[in-house]
Amino acid sequence: MSALPKPQVSYRRMRPTDLAAVADMERSLYAFPWSLGNFRDSLNAGYDCWVACHGEQVIGYAILMIALDEAHL
């Protein structure tokens, strides 16, 4: 038996099946949210798209866009 606690949150690359949950979360957080299409386009463009999960439930997300000498998160 290990004395180390099991992590409650895990991180993985965003999948197309996560897009609805991510877009729903975005709408609940922002007055001017990204659309489902914005997230789909980011995923298809190859941006660094990640989700945070508690079990199988998506509880957070991040998209990293790098252009020349700057980055947007």
Side-chain angles (χ1 to χ4, degrees), residues 10-72:
S10 61
Y11 303 90
R12 62 170 171 75
R13 291 199 176 274
M14 190 181 295
R15 303 173 187 148
T17 55
D18 298 320
L19 292 174
V22 168
D24 286 346
M25 195 178 313
E26 176 85 356
R27 280 191 300 277
S28 75
L29 295 169
Y30 295 100
F32 303 99
W34 276 22
S35 69
L36 177 69
N38 293 130
F39 288 106
R40 184 181 299 114
D41 290 346
S42 295
L43 193 60
N44 290 337
Y47 293 134
D48 240 350
C49 303
W50 292 83
V51 292
C53 298
H54 185 266
E56 291 300 311
Q57 181 181 5
V58 174
I59 60 171
Y61 58 92
I63 297 177
L64 177 64
M65 295 176 265
I66 299 175
L68 300 174
D69 62 345
E70 66 180 37
H72 295 272

